Amino acid sequence: MDLVEYQGKQYFARYGIPISAGRAADTVDEAVAAAEEVGYPVVVKAQVQVGGRGKAGGVKLAADAAEARQHASDILGLDIKGHIVRRLWIEHATDIEKEYYASFTLDRAAKLHLAMVSARGGIDIEQVADTEPEAIARLHIDPLDGLGLPAARQLASDAGLDPEALDQAAAVLVDLYRCYVEGDADLVEINPLVLTTDGRVHALDAKVTLDDDAAFRHPEWSELEQIGDVDPREQLAKEKGLQYIGLVGSVGIIANGAGLAMSTLDVVNQVGGTAANFLDIGGGANADIMANALEVINTDPNVSVILVNIFGGIVRCDEVAQGILTALERVDLASPIVLRLDGTNSVEARRMLDERRSEQIIPELTMIGAAIRAVEIAGGQS
Ligand code: GDP
Ligand code: MN
């Protein structure tokens, strides 16, 4: 789950990372009231799950109520890279001396945590990585060792932060690391981490991605409101406990196991098609799960054919066939199903489907055969 800036800042604050005082607002009047409360000058900031808000006109300074009103009304409803602004964060403005960058994430290849710190903050870090890779100091951290103040200070120093910022920056890094580990985040990023004109170091922006698999340890996460639009297909899938990722093509894909689902995506691409989604019904797929999966895909108007690719190991093909038959009764499927069923009980499954012969089900024996057939159908209809 990606948090918006102010949720990320509130998460930071629990670990003692300094942030500016602020308030959330959903209307222009609320924004002005919030500005009065935090005290001018204020920054009016769009709360959307996308970076580069500043460049897009989503971050504006206001010196008084009239300006706060003007900026709030300009920013609410603004479209920032496809995200419509529905909530603002109003915080007391900071006088900036320097803008830095700090983040922690997991380096999967190294199997270690990775800290990145730079004195070139405030701008897109990918751009810094491209043009000035030496301007980013990196440190791998073994989770068993953790991160102490001396190593954090060294990292800040390697990154070229100003001498007067080093002690405070080191403390922020240690707290941010704790937020990342104890807070079960996949990513924590502060860009910019600023040195103020009066010599304080604090977080002016926050990007936090929580690890959904750790939700069971964090009952408080349920209070985090989803800000902004969620893909209705992904929402429906989540409610039904399915692993679903919406894409933009026309072939709906259902497979058992993430590996098989990805291979199916690849094969569809190789034969000239495009996938509308990625849907893994998992290793314990039964009739009900299969029916749910078809229901979710059926809500996607881009789908013109559904490719079901099941290799039965633990999953029994007759259960899957039963799920397809149940789905056909339960919902009015808008697209034909190209079906490749192989493995445990596949003979029984084919017999069941033959008995209830439906024009909507097109059987294929191989994965490549099924992909070619599905792409033909998709192409013929678009
Ligand atoms: P982003 O563009 O989505 O990354 O949004 P940020 O929160 O990082 O804000 C973008 C830029 O606005 C920052 O890099 C700062 O230069 C500027 N900014 C944000 N807050 C303040 C503030 O309190 N005072 C001043 N002077 N500038 C700010
Ligand atoms: Mn930023």
Side-chain angles (χ1 to χ4, degrees), residues 53 191-192 205:
R53 293 166 301 159
N191 188 22
D205 192 5

Side-chain angles (χ1 to χ4, degrees), residues 45 51-54 59 99 122-123 189-192 204-207:
K45 308 186 78 173
R53 293 166 301 159
V59 177
E99 300 192 56
I123 50 171
E189 184 186 78
I190 308 178
N191 188 22
L204 226 55
D205 192 5
K207 183 162 163 50

Side-chain angles (χ1 to χ4, degrees), residues 347-365:
V347 176
E348 167 71 3
R350 287 197 205 103
R351 193 189 52 74
M352 286 165 64
L353 292 167
D354 273 351
E355 265 172 23
R356 305 261 290 276
R357 188 175 297 266
S358 158
E359 282 162 17
Q360 270 193 296
I361 303 176
I362 302 150
E364 284 287 341
L365 284 173

Side-chain angles (χ1 to χ4, degrees), residues 45-246:
K45 308 186 78 173
Q47 297 302 294
V48 284
Q49 281 157 339
V50 64
R53 293 166 301 159
K55 267 190 212 152
V59 177
K60 292 259 169 70
L61 285 162
D64 53 35
E67 282 185 12
R69 179 169 297 280
Q70 184 62 50
H71 294 327
S73 75
D74 288 347
I75 296 174
L76 278 170
L78 194 67
D79 181 331
I80 302 181
K81 299 178 189 166
H83 297 251
I84 307 295
V85 181
R86 302 190 202 286
R87 180 163 291 181
L88 301 171
W89 173 246
I90 316 292
E91 72 176 25
H92 186 67
T94 302
D95 285 328
I96 303 173
E97 176 75 30
K98 287 282 178 57
E99 300 192 56
Y100 309 133
Y101 172 94
S103 70
F104 290 95
T105 188
L106 181 67
D107 183 342
R108 287 172 201 280
K111 299 180 183 166
L112 294 168
H113 297 309
L114 176 65
M116 289 194 275
V117 178
S118 176
R120 301 263 186 290
I123 50 171
D124 201 2
I125 197 67
E126 280 82 11
Q127 191 189 320
V128 180
D130 278 349
T131 57
E132 277 181 285
E134 69 288 348
I136 304 172
R138 293 178 169 78
L139 177 68
H140 278 108
I141 301 163
D142 189 317
L144 295 177
D145 299 337
L147 178 69
L149 269 177
R153 195 175 193 283
Q154 186 60 49
L155 178 62
S157 164
D158 292 346
L161 268 53
D162 301 80
E164 68 266 37
L166 290 181
D167 287 336
Q168 293 180 69
V172 168
L173 286 171
V174 167
D175 289 338
L176 187 62
Y177 180 74
R178 220 161 45 79
C179 173
Y180 166 71
V181 174
E182 291 172 25
D184 281 309
D186 285 331
L187 167 74
V188 291
E189 184 186 78
I190 308 178
N191 188 22
L193 174 71
V194 298
L195 172 64
T196 65
T197 48
D198 57 358
R200 290 172 300 115
V201 171
H202 87 255
L204 226 55
D205 192 5
K207 183 162 163 50
V208 174
T209 304
L210 299 175
D211 174 4
D212 291 328
D213 291 331
F216 71 96
R217 279 203 283 258
H218 298 276
E220 79 281 7
W221 285 2
S222 62
E223 282 161 30
L224 291 165
E225 230 183 301
Q226 181 79 44
I227 314 287
D229 306 317
V230 260
D231 186 327
R233 298 170 299 175
E234 290 185 17
Q235 185 63 33
L236 181 63
K238 204 170 175 186
E239 281 160 19
K240 293 182 183 287
L242 297 166
Q243 287 292 329
Y244 179 96
I245 294 165

